[in-house]
Amino acid sequence: MKKQKISDAVIHRLPRYYRYLDDLYNKGVVRISSSSLGDKMDITASQIRQDLSCFGEFGQQGYGYNVAELRAEIGHILGIDNGHRLIIIGVGHLGHALLQNFDFEKVGFQVDSAFDVSPALVDTQIRGVTIRPMDQLAEYVARYQPNVAVLTVPQNVAQPLADQLIDLGIRGFWNFTNVELSTEVPGVFFEDVHFVDTLLTLSYRISRG
Amino acid sequence: MKKQKISDAVIHRLPRYYRYLDDLYNKGVVRISSSSLGDKMDITASQIRQDLSCFGEFGQQGYGYNVAELRAEIGHILGIDNGHRLIIIGVGHLGHALLQNFDFEKVGFQVDSAFDVSPALVDTQIRGVTIRPMDQLAEYVARYQPNVAVLTVPQNVAQPLADQLIDLGIRGFWNFTNVELSTEVPGVFFEDVHFVDTLLTLSYRISRG
């Protein structure tokens, strides 16, 4: 596989490729042409070929792509076989929804533990994950070294909490707080989930449509 | 304002512009140059100028953008002043989190009502919104004609429910079900929220970083 600098635009399309290929794979589809995949995903076949060419040579003229192989390869590029271990901080309704319904394992993330300030939640379990008190967080992270934290905490604690976790070795943040987090520490990544963006896109489309 | 066909890439960047400008506006910032805005958003100044040029002429050489004006204009382009009225279907943990924490009003959406199958939830209120039983949904939509539905329901009911709501006049779906919804009816829009995409992007970055 070639290694080169990949543009953000391509990186942001990779998860979508993975989702579609995973869906095809689960439906038992063996191969697909770039034009059929493009029709499904509402992008052009040439865009697909160009995106995938960043990572090597996939597919064959007249045959198309082998679904299982391409799914595995894109999964590998996305790092889902890297054994990420995460903790969830904040088990309000959103944290609870993620613990209960989100399939972390399917994309290569093991949920090690969850933390919350509420005494009523501490020591309860959601899908086998024990919720611990916040005052055990630092010790837990120092000891077990998970590499990713999911933040579903109030806005005012988001940045100080992130700073503390970075000091303790957390390298990735899945950030639901709507606060733009930052750090001077190299090799730390934030992915912010902004629900509002898709709602605003919907507003645009129905207003113009 | 010029009207022209706007690319999906630009449309998807608009909510992000709005978020940043709204943040600057709330902090009392009066004006900003395209290069400062670009630094904040991690895109180039020329990309910003090019994107905004799709919608007319903004900013002034040597002055930059007036934050309040540009925020208002992009909000208008996004249709946040169009009086959208929505209903939330499914008040599990995620629906509850949205009702409790998401600021719909701020982006121009009024929450009219919420619906759930659970008798324990029916007739309770969350932030002033009454939860109604699912068997009142059809009559409610026919009578009050909201234009947007938020779907936080189980996957197996998502498409039949969407079909029913489209027949009743719903035109926009904010879809949290992870099912790719479709319709033959023109003028209906789906915006899917795929949590997994940002988590996979994070996986990519920490695996490569």
Side-chain angles (χ1 to χ4, degrees):
Chain A
M1 204 177 73
K2 286 186 289 184
K3 299 246 174 189
Q4 56 179 72
K5 174 78 183 160
I6 313 294
S7 80
D8 269 6
V10 177
I11 293 167
H12 284 296
R13 279 194 291 272
L14 284 179
R16 208 163 157 247
Y17 285 121
Y18 188 78
R19 267 197 283 116
Y20 275 83
L21 288 163
D22 188 56
D23 188 48
L24 291 166
Y25 176 77
N26 290 325
K27 284 177 178 153
V29 176
V30 173
R31 63 172 168 152
I32 191 163
S33 66
S34 51
S35 59
S36 304
L37 185 58
D39 282 349
K40 275 187 176 296
M41 295 184 61
D42 205 18
I43 56 180
T44 66
S46 84
Q47 176 80 76
I48 293 177
R49 288 191 296 266
Q50 193 185 317
D51 284 352
L52 296 181
S53 74
C54 298
F55 300 99
E57 294 193 12
F58 302 102
Q60 232 178 295
Q61 192 79 37
Y63 176 87
Y65 300 109
N66 177 303
V67 169
E69 275 174 31
L70 189 58
R71 169 184 171 278
E73 192 58 52
I74 292 180
H76 176 69
I77 293 165
L78 286 168
I80 71 170
D81 44 8
N82 280 19
H84 303 300
R85 289 169 40 235
L86 65 75
I87 54 175
I88 296 180
I89 307 180
V91 190
H93 287 290
L94 182 57
H96 199 131
L98 290 171
L99 270 166
Q100 189 144 296
N101 302 316
F102 188 82
D103 200 347
F104 288 97
E105 298 271 342
K106 192 179 169 186
V107 287
F109 287 80
Q110 178 186 310
V111 183
D112 274 10
S113 192
F115 294 85
D116 200 275
V117 290
S118 162
L121 286 172
V122 166
D123 290 332
T124 64
Q125 287 203 338
I126 299 171
R127 282 215 302 186
V129 175
T130 300
I131 300 164
R132 294 168 207 266
M134 283 297 279
D135 59 18
Q136 290 180 12
L137 177 64
E139 193 193 326
Y140 183 95
V141 175
R143 182 161 177 185
Y144 295 105
Q145 295 284 301
N147 62 338
V148 171
V150 182
L151 299 188
T152 53
V153 294
Q155 298 206 337
N156 58 322
V157 301
Q159 183 68 55
L161 184 58
D163 291 337
Q164 184 196 10
L165 290 167
I166 291 165
D167 282 346
L168 291 163
I170 295 281
R171 285 298 168 259
F173 290 86
W174 201 26
N175 173 25
F176 286 84
T177 67
N178 280 314
V179 173
E180 302 277 336
L181 300 172
S182 63
T183 183
E184 306 273 295
V185 179
V188 173
F189 300 93
F190 302 102
E191 275 294 321
D192 303 327
V193 181
H194 290 289
F195 289 162
V196 73
D197 286 9
T198 48
L199 186 61
L200 284 172
T201 304
L202 184 63
S203 172
Y204 177 88
R205 294 198 194 279
I206 54 180
S207 301
R208 302 251 154 168
Chain B
M1 204 175 72
K2 285 186 286 185
K3 300 247 176 189
Q4 56 180 71
K5 173 78 183 162
I6 313 294
S7 80
D8 269 8
V10 177
I11 292 168
H12 284 294
R13 278 194 291 272
L14 284 180
R16 207 161 159 250
Y17 286 120
Y18 188 78
R19 267 197 283 116
Y20 276 83
L21 288 162
D22 188 56
D23 187 49
L24 291 166
Y25 177 77
N26 290 326
K27 284 177 176 153
V29 176
V30 173
R31 64 172 168 152
I32 190 162
S33 65
S34 51
S35 59
S36 304
L37 185 58
D39 283 349
K40 273 188 177 293
M41 296 183 61
D42 203 19
I43 56 180
T44 65
S46 84
Q47 177 79 77
I48 294 177
R49 287 191 295 266
Q50 192 185 318
D51 284 351
L52 296 181
S53 74
C54 298
F55 300 98
E57 294 191 12
F58 302 101
Q60 233 177 294
Q61 192 79 39
Y63 176 86
Y65 300 109
N66 178 304
V67 169
E69 274 175 30
L70 189 57
R71 171 184 171 278
E73 192 59 51
I74 292 180
H76 176 69
I77 292 165
L78 285 168
I80 71 170
D81 46 7
N82 279 19
H84 302 300
R85 288 170 40 234
L86 66 75
I87 53 175
I88 296 180
I89 308 181
V91 189
H93 287 290
L94 182 58
H96 199 131
L98 290 171
L99 270 166
Q100 189 144 296
N101 302 317
F102 189 83
D103 200 347
F104 288 96
E105 298 270 342
K106 191 177 171 188
V107 286
F109 286 79
Q110 178 185 311
V111 182
D112 273 10
S113 191
F115 295 84
D116 199 275
V117 290
S118 161
L121 287 171
V122 166
D123 290 335
T124 64
Q125 287 205 338
I126 300 172
R127 280 214 305 185
V129 175
T130 301
I131 300 165
R132 295 169 207 265
M134 282 297 279
D135 59 17
Q136 290 180 13
L137 176 64
E139 192 193 326
Y140 183 94
V141 175
R143 182 162 177 184
Y144 296 105
Q145 295 284 302
N147 62 338
V148 170
V150 182
L151 298 188
T152 53
V153 294
Q155 298 206 339
N156 59 322
V157 302
Q159 184 68 56
L161 184 59
D163 291 337
Q164 183 196 11
L165 291 166
I166 292 165
D167 282 346
L168 290 163
I170 295 281
R171 285 298 167 260
F173 290 85
W174 201 26
N175 173 24
F176 286 84
T177 67
N178 279 315
V179 173
E180 301 276 338
L181 300 172
S182 63
T183 184
E184 307 273 294
V185 179
V188 173
F189 301 93
F190 301 103
E191 276 294 321
D192 303 327
V193 181
H194 290 288
F195 288 161
V196 74
D197 286 10
T198 48
L199 185 61
L200 284 172
T201 304
L202 183 63
S203 172
Y204 176 90
R205 295 197 194 278
I206 54 181
S207 301
R208 302 251 155 168

PDB file of all heavy atoms in Angstrom, chain A residues 88 90-102 104 114 116 121 124-127 131 152, chain B residues 92-94 97:
ATOM      1  N   ILE A  88     -15.899   6.303  28.664  1.00  0.00           N
ATOM      2  CA  ILE A  88     -16.969   7.277  28.430  1.00  0.00           C
ATOM      3  C   ILE A  88     -17.105   8.124  29.689  1.00  0.00           C
ATOM      4  O   ILE A  88     -17.271   7.582  30.783  1.00  0.00           O
ATOM      5  CB  ILE A  88     -18.297   6.568  28.114  1.00  0.00           C
ATOM      6  CG1 ILE A  88     -18.146   5.790  26.801  1.00  0.00           C
ATOM      7  CG2 ILE A  88     -19.455   7.565  28.052  1.00  0.00           C
ATOM      8  CD1 ILE A  88     -19.386   5.036  26.372  1.00  0.00           C
ATOM      9  N   GLY A  90     -19.234  10.876  31.549  1.00  0.00           N
ATOM     10  CA  GLY A  90     -20.561  11.503  31.562  1.00  0.00           C
ATOM     11  C   GLY A  90     -21.607  10.510  31.095  1.00  0.00           C
ATOM     12  O   GLY A  90     -21.658  10.165  29.915  1.00  0.00           O
ATOM     13  N   VAL A  91     -22.427  10.040  32.025  1.00  0.00           N
ATOM     14  CA  VAL A  91     -23.467   9.072  31.647  1.00  0.00           C
ATOM     15  C   VAL A  91     -24.846   9.682  31.887  1.00  0.00           C
ATOM     16  O   VAL A  91     -25.671   9.161  32.638  1.00  0.00           O
ATOM     17  CB  VAL A  91     -23.286   7.714  32.393  1.00  0.00           C
ATOM     18  CG1 VAL A  91     -24.212   6.660  31.811  1.00  0.00           C
ATOM     19  CG2 VAL A  91     -21.835   7.227  32.274  1.00  0.00           C
ATOM     20  N   GLY A  92     -25.061  10.837  31.281  1.00  0.00           N
ATOM     21  CA  GLY A  92     -26.407  11.401  31.196  1.00  0.00           C
ATOM     22  C   GLY A  92     -27.163  10.644  30.109  1.00  0.00           C
ATOM     23  O   GLY A  92     -26.787   9.539  29.729  1.00  0.00           O
ATOM     24  N   HIS A  93     -28.209  11.267  29.582  1.00  0.00           N
ATOM     25  CA  HIS A  93     -29.012  10.570  28.575  1.00  0.00           C
ATOM     26  C   HIS A  93     -28.189  10.212  27.343  1.00  0.00           C
ATOM     27  O   HIS A  93     -28.324   9.131  26.786  1.00  0.00           O
ATOM     28  CB  HIS A  93     -30.220  11.413  28.184  1.00  0.00           C
ATOM     29  CG  HIS A  93     -31.255  11.448  29.249  1.00  0.00           C
ATOM     30  ND1 HIS A  93     -32.024  10.371  29.573  1.00  0.00           N
ATOM     31  CD2 HIS A  93     -31.615  12.431  30.106  1.00  0.00           C
ATOM     32  CE1 HIS A  93     -32.835  10.672  30.571  1.00  0.00           C
ATOM     33  NE2 HIS A  93     -32.604  11.924  30.919  1.00  0.00           N
ATOM     34  N   LEU A  94     -27.316  11.130  26.919  1.00  0.00           N
ATOM     35  CA  LEU A  94     -26.538  10.854  25.711  1.00  0.00           C
ATOM     36  C   LEU A  94     -25.500   9.749  25.966  1.00  0.00           C
ATOM     37  O   LEU A  94     -25.373   8.809  25.172  1.00  0.00           O
ATOM     38  CB  LEU A  94     -25.860  12.139  25.223  1.00  0.00           C
ATOM     39  CG  LEU A  94     -25.048  11.987  23.945  1.00  0.00           C
ATOM     40  CD1 LEU A  94     -25.896  11.448  22.803  1.00  0.00           C
ATOM     41  CD2 LEU A  94     -24.439  13.322  23.567  1.00  0.00           C
ATOM     42  N   GLY A  95     -24.775   9.875  27.055  1.00  0.00           N
ATOM     43  CA  GLY A  95     -23.803   8.838  27.399  1.00  0.00           C
ATOM     44  C   GLY A  95     -24.482   7.479  27.541  1.00  0.00           C
ATOM     45  O   GLY A  95     -23.983   6.453  27.063  1.00  0.00           O
ATOM     46  N   HIS A  96     -25.646   7.491  28.171  1.00  0.00           N
ATOM     47  CA  HIS A  96     -26.421   6.265  28.337  1.00  0.00           C
ATOM     48  C   HIS A  96     -26.825   5.679  26.980  1.00  0.00           C
ATOM     49  O   HIS A  96     -26.699   4.480  26.734  1.00  0.00           O
ATOM     50  CB  HIS A  96     -27.658   6.569  29.185  1.00  0.00           C
ATOM     51  CG  HIS A  96     -28.279   5.346  29.785  1.00  0.00           C
ATOM     52  ND1 HIS A  96     -28.617   5.250  31.103  1.00  0.00           N
ATOM     53  CD2 HIS A  96     -28.618   4.158  29.244  1.00  0.00           C
ATOM     54  CE1 HIS A  96     -29.136   4.057  31.351  1.00  0.00           C
ATOM     55  NE2 HIS A  96     -29.153   3.385  30.230  1.00  0.00           N
ATOM     56  N   ALA A  97     -27.297   6.555  26.085  1.00  0.00           N
ATOM     57  CA  ALA A  97     -27.703   6.103  24.748  1.00  0.00           C
ATOM     58  C   ALA A  97     -26.528   5.466  24.016  1.00  0.00           C
ATOM     59  O   ALA A  97     -26.668   4.412  23.375  1.00  0.00           O
ATOM     60  CB  ALA A  97     -28.269   7.273  23.934  1.00  0.00           C
ATOM     61  N   LEU A  98     -25.358   6.076  24.116  1.00  0.00           N
ATOM     62  CA  LEU A  98     -24.174   5.518  23.446  1.00  0.00           C
ATOM     63  C   LEU A  98     -23.814   4.158  24.042  1.00  0.00           C
ATOM     64  O   LEU A  98     -23.585   3.188  23.321  1.00  0.00           O
ATOM     65  CB  LEU A  98     -22.985   6.475  23.578  1.00  0.00           C
ATOM     66  CG  LEU A  98     -23.092   7.769  22.772  1.00  0.00           C
ATOM     67  CD1 LEU A  98     -21.972   8.729  23.158  1.00  0.00           C
ATOM     68  CD2 LEU A  98     -23.061   7.497  21.267  1.00  0.00           C
ATOM     69  N   LEU A  99     -23.760   4.100  25.378  1.00  0.00           N
ATOM     70  CA  LEU A  99     -23.422   2.832  26.031  1.00  0.00           C
ATOM     71  C   LEU A  99     -24.406   1.741  25.659  1.00  0.00           C
ATOM     72  O   LEU A  99     -24.037   0.592  25.424  1.00  0.00           O
ATOM     73  CB  LEU A  99     -23.431   3.010  27.552  1.00  0.00           C
ATOM     74  CG  LEU A  99     -22.120   3.437  28.196  1.00  0.00           C
ATOM     75  CD1 LEU A  99     -22.353   3.894  29.620  1.00  0.00           C
ATOM     76  CD2 LEU A  99     -21.113   2.281  28.174  1.00  0.00           C
ATOM     77  N   GLN A 100     -25.674   2.120  25.611  1.00  0.00           N
ATOM     78  CA  GLN A 100     -26.708   1.114  25.396  1.00  0.00           C
ATOM     79  C   GLN A 100     -26.834   0.684  23.941  1.00  0.00           C
ATOM     80  O   GLN A 100     -27.068  -0.477  23.651  1.00  0.00           O
ATOM     81  CB  GLN A 100     -28.046   1.661  25.883  1.00  0.00           C
ATOM     82  CG  GLN A 100     -29.144   0.626  25.898  1.00  0.00           C
ATOM     83  CD  GLN A 100     -30.058   0.862  27.091  1.00  0.00           C
ATOM     84  OE1 GLN A 100     -29.653   0.754  28.264  1.00  0.00           O
ATOM     85  NE2 GLN A 100     -31.269   1.237  26.785  1.00  0.00           N
ATOM     86  N   ASN A 101     -26.668   1.630  23.021  1.00  0.00           N
ATOM     87  CA  ASN A 101     -27.020   1.326  21.633  1.00  0.00           C
ATOM     88  C   ASN A 101     -25.886   1.361  20.622  1.00  0.00           C
ATOM     89  O   ASN A 101     -26.030   0.820  19.529  1.00  0.00           O
ATOM     90  CB  ASN A 101     -28.096   2.321  21.147  1.00  0.00           C
ATOM     91  CG  ASN A 101     -29.336   2.285  21.998  1.00  0.00           C
ATOM     92  OD1 ASN A 101     -29.818   1.213  22.349  1.00  0.00           O
ATOM     93  ND2 ASN A 101     -29.836   3.456  22.364  1.00  0.00           N
ATOM     94  N   PHE A 102     -24.808   2.033  20.935  1.00  0.00           N
ATOM     95  CA  PHE A 102     -23.782   2.193  19.908  1.00  0.00           C
ATOM     96  C   PHE A 102     -22.866   0.983  19.880  1.00  0.00           C
ATOM     97  O   PHE A 102     -22.369   0.544  20.914  1.00  0.00           O
ATOM     98  CB  PHE A 102     -22.970   3.472  20.161  1.00  0.00           C
ATOM     99  CG  PHE A 102     -22.040   3.794  19.038  1.00  0.00           C
ATOM    100  CD1 PHE A 102     -22.510   4.453  17.914  1.00  0.00           C
ATOM    101  CD2 PHE A 102     -20.717   3.402  19.077  1.00  0.00           C
ATOM    102  CE1 PHE A 102     -21.663   4.733  16.855  1.00  0.00           C
ATOM    103  CE2 PHE A 102     -19.855   3.674  18.020  1.00  0.00           C
ATOM    104  CZ  PHE A 102     -20.337   4.336  16.907  1.00  0.00           C
ATOM    105  N   PHE A 104     -19.693  -0.078  19.533  1.00  0.00           N
ATOM    106  CA  PHE A 104     -18.278   0.299  19.534  1.00  0.00           C
ATOM    107  C   PHE A 104     -17.395  -0.824  18.996  1.00  0.00           C
ATOM    108  O   PHE A 104     -16.484  -0.593  18.206  1.00  0.00           O
ATOM    109  CB  PHE A 104     -17.826   0.675  20.952  1.00  0.00           C
ATOM    110  CG  PHE A 104     -18.350   1.984  21.453  1.00  0.00           C
ATOM    111  CD1 PHE A 104     -19.473   2.025  22.264  1.00  0.00           C
ATOM    112  CD2 PHE A 104     -17.727   3.172  21.122  1.00  0.00           C
ATOM    113  CE1 PHE A 104     -19.970   3.233  22.717  1.00  0.00           C
ATOM    114  CE2 PHE A 104     -18.210   4.382  21.574  1.00  0.00           C
ATOM    115  CZ  PHE A 104     -19.340   4.418  22.381  1.00  0.00           C
ATOM    116  N   ALA A 114     -16.832   3.542  32.277  1.00  0.00           N
ATOM    117  CA  ALA A 114     -17.559   4.809  32.159  1.00  0.00           C
ATOM    118  C   ALA A 114     -17.510   5.503  33.510  1.00  0.00           C
ATOM    119  O   ALA A 114     -17.358   4.846  34.543  1.00  0.00           O
ATOM    120  CB  ALA A 114     -18.997   4.556  31.730  1.00  0.00           C
ATOM    121  N   ASP A 116     -19.078   8.864  35.994  1.00  0.00           N
ATOM    122  CA  ASP A 116     -20.105   9.895  36.188  1.00  0.00           C
ATOM    123  C   ASP A 116     -20.040  10.424  37.617  1.00  0.00           C
ATOM    124  O   ASP A 116     -19.559   9.740  38.518  1.00  0.00           O
ATOM    125  CB  ASP A 116     -21.502   9.341  35.893  1.00  0.00           C
ATOM    126  CG  ASP A 116     -22.502  10.453  35.619  1.00  0.00           C
ATOM    127  OD1 ASP A 116     -23.073  11.008  36.581  1.00  0.00           O
ATOM    128  OD2 ASP A 116     -22.683  10.813  34.437  1.00  0.00           O
ATOM    129  N   LEU A 121     -25.677   6.581  39.877  1.00  0.00           N
ATOM    130  CA  LEU A 121     -25.218   5.785  38.735  1.00  0.00           C
ATOM    131  C   LEU A 121     -24.004   4.919  39.078  1.00  0.00           C
ATOM    132  O   LEU A 121     -23.791   3.861  38.481  1.00  0.00           O
ATOM    133  CB  LEU A 121     -24.844   6.704  37.568  1.00  0.00           C
ATOM    134  CG  LEU A 121     -26.018   7.334  36.822  1.00  0.00           C
ATOM    135  CD1 LEU A 121     -25.512   8.373  35.833  1.00  0.00           C
ATOM    136  CD2 LEU A 121     -26.825   6.265  36.082  1.00  0.00           C
ATOM    137  N   THR A 124     -23.440   0.986  39.002  1.00  0.00           N
ATOM    138  CA  THR A 124     -24.411   0.295  38.150  1.00  0.00           C
ATOM    139  C   THR A 124     -23.689  -0.092  36.859  1.00  0.00           C
ATOM    140  O   THR A 124     -22.567   0.351  36.587  1.00  0.00           O
ATOM    141  CB  THR A 124     -25.626   1.183  37.794  1.00  0.00           C
ATOM    142  OG1 THR A 124     -25.181   2.304  37.024  1.00  0.00           O
ATOM    143  CG2 THR A 124     -26.331   1.671  39.053  1.00  0.00           C
ATOM    144  N   GLN A 125     -24.335  -0.957  36.065  1.00  0.00           N
ATOM    145  CA  GLN A 125     -23.751  -1.408  34.809  1.00  0.00           C
ATOM    146  C   GLN A 125     -24.700  -1.138  33.652  1.00  0.00           C
ATOM    147  O   GLN A 125     -25.916  -1.243  33.806  1.00  0.00           O
ATOM    148  CB  GLN A 125     -23.491  -2.905  34.856  1.00  0.00           C
ATOM    149  CG  GLN A 125     -22.320  -3.313  35.740  1.00  0.00           C
ATOM    150  CD  GLN A 125     -21.769  -4.660  35.327  1.00  0.00           C
ATOM    151  OE1 GLN A 125     -22.455  -5.459  34.689  1.00  0.00           O
ATOM    152  NE2 GLN A 125     -20.513  -4.914  35.654  1.00  0.00           N
ATOM    153  N   ILE A 126     -24.127  -0.786  32.491  1.00  0.00           N
ATOM    154  CA  ILE A 126     -24.920  -0.699  31.262  1.00  0.00           C
ATOM    155  C   ILE A 126     -24.224  -1.578  30.232  1.00  0.00           C
ATOM    156  O   ILE A 126     -23.043  -1.361  29.933  1.00  0.00           O
ATOM    157  CB  ILE A 126     -25.030   0.754  30.761  1.00  0.00           C
ATOM    158  CG1 ILE A 126     -25.725   1.624  31.815  1.00  0.00           C
ATOM    159  CG2 ILE A 126     -25.813   0.807  29.445  1.00  0.00           C
ATOM    160  CD1 ILE A 126     -25.701   3.104  31.510  1.00  0.00           C
ATOM    161  N   ARG A 127     -24.928  -2.549  29.725  1.00  0.00           N
ATOM    162  CA  ARG A 127     -24.358  -3.535  28.791  1.00  0.00           C
ATOM    163  C   ARG A 127     -22.978  -4.030  29.259  1.00  0.00           C
ATOM    164  O   ARG A 127     -22.021  -4.096  28.482  1.00  0.00           O
ATOM    165  CB  ARG A 127     -24.224  -2.955  27.371  1.00  0.00           C
ATOM    166  CG  ARG A 127     -25.563  -2.950  26.648  1.00  0.00           C
ATOM    167  CD  ARG A 127     -25.396  -3.214  25.150  1.00  0.00           C
ATOM    168  NE  ARG A 127     -24.526  -2.254  24.490  1.00  0.00           N
ATOM    169  CZ  ARG A 127     -24.325  -2.198  23.187  1.00  0.00           C
ATOM    170  NH1 ARG A 127     -24.927  -3.050  22.386  1.00  0.00           N
ATOM    171  NH2 ARG A 127     -23.518  -1.310  22.663  1.00  0.00           N
ATOM    172  N   ILE A 131     -20.084   1.705  35.773  1.00  0.00           N
ATOM    173  CA  ILE A 131     -19.914   3.154  35.898  1.00  0.00           C
ATOM    174  C   ILE A 131     -19.197   3.461  37.206  1.00  0.00           C
ATOM    175  O   ILE A 131     -19.617   3.019  38.276  1.00  0.00           O
ATOM    176  CB  ILE A 131     -21.282   3.867  35.832  1.00  0.00           C
ATOM    177  CG1 ILE A 131     -21.934   3.539  34.486  1.00  0.00           C
ATOM    178  CG2 ILE A 131     -21.118   5.381  36.019  1.00  0.00           C
ATOM    179  CD1 ILE A 131     -23.399   3.831  34.410  1.00  0.00           C
ATOM    180  N   THR A 152     -19.121  13.311  27.171  1.00  0.00           N
ATOM    181  CA  THR A 152     -20.524  13.756  27.184  1.00  0.00           C
ATOM    182  C   THR A 152     -20.762  14.398  28.543  1.00  0.00           C
ATOM    183  O   THR A 152     -21.561  13.922  29.344  1.00  0.00           O
ATOM    184  CB  THR A 152     -21.489  12.572  26.949  1.00  0.00           C
ATOM    185  OG1 THR A 152     -21.177  11.531  27.892  1.00  0.00           O
ATOM    186  CG2 THR A 152     -21.351  12.003  25.561  1.00  0.00           C
TER     187      THR A 152
ATOM    188  N   GLY B  92     -36.494   7.612  23.750  1.00  0.00           N
ATOM    189  CA  GLY B  92     -35.535   6.817  24.516  1.00  0.00           C
ATOM    190  C   GLY B  92     -34.448   7.757  25.022  1.00  0.00           C
ATOM    191  O   GLY B  92     -34.639   8.978  25.079  1.00  0.00           O
ATOM    192  N   HIS B  93     -33.293   7.206  25.352  1.00  0.00           N
ATOM    193  CA  HIS B  93     -32.237   8.050  25.905  1.00  0.00           C
ATOM    194  C   HIS B  93     -31.799   9.137  24.929  1.00  0.00           C
ATOM    195  O   HIS B  93     -31.564  10.277  25.313  1.00  0.00           O
ATOM    196  CB  HIS B  93     -31.031   7.201  26.314  1.00  0.00           C
ATOM    197  CG  HIS B  93     -31.290   6.410  27.548  1.00  0.00           C
ATOM    198  ND1 HIS B  93     -31.409   6.986  28.784  1.00  0.00           N
ATOM    199  CD2 HIS B  93     -31.514   5.091  27.728  1.00  0.00           C
ATOM    200  CE1 HIS B  93     -31.674   6.054  29.684  1.00  0.00           C
ATOM    201  NE2 HIS B  93     -31.739   4.892  29.075  1.00  0.00           N
ATOM    202  N   LEU B  94     -31.690   8.790  23.655  1.00  0.00           N
ATOM    203  CA  LEU B  94     -31.244   9.784  22.690  1.00  0.00           C
ATOM    204  C   LEU B  94     -32.298  10.871  22.471  1.00  0.00           C
ATOM    205  O   LEU B  94     -31.980  12.069  22.487  1.00  0.00           O
ATOM    206  CB  LEU B  94     -30.884   9.104  21.360  1.00  0.00           C
ATOM    207  CG  LEU B  94     -30.368  10.036  20.277  1.00  0.00           C
ATOM    208  CD1 LEU B  94     -29.136  10.804  20.731  1.00  0.00           C
ATOM    209  CD2 LEU B  94     -30.057   9.231  19.018  1.00  0.00           C
ATOM    210  N   ALA B  97     -32.252  13.040  25.419  1.00  0.00           N
ATOM    211  CA  ALA B  97     -31.086  13.933  25.420  1.00  0.00           C
ATOM    212  C   ALA B  97     -31.325  15.130  24.494  1.00  0.00           C
ATOM    213  O   ALA B  97     -30.997  16.269  24.830  1.00  0.00           O
ATOM    214  CB  ALA B  97     -29.830  13.172  24.995  1.00  0.00           C
TER     215      ALA B  97
END
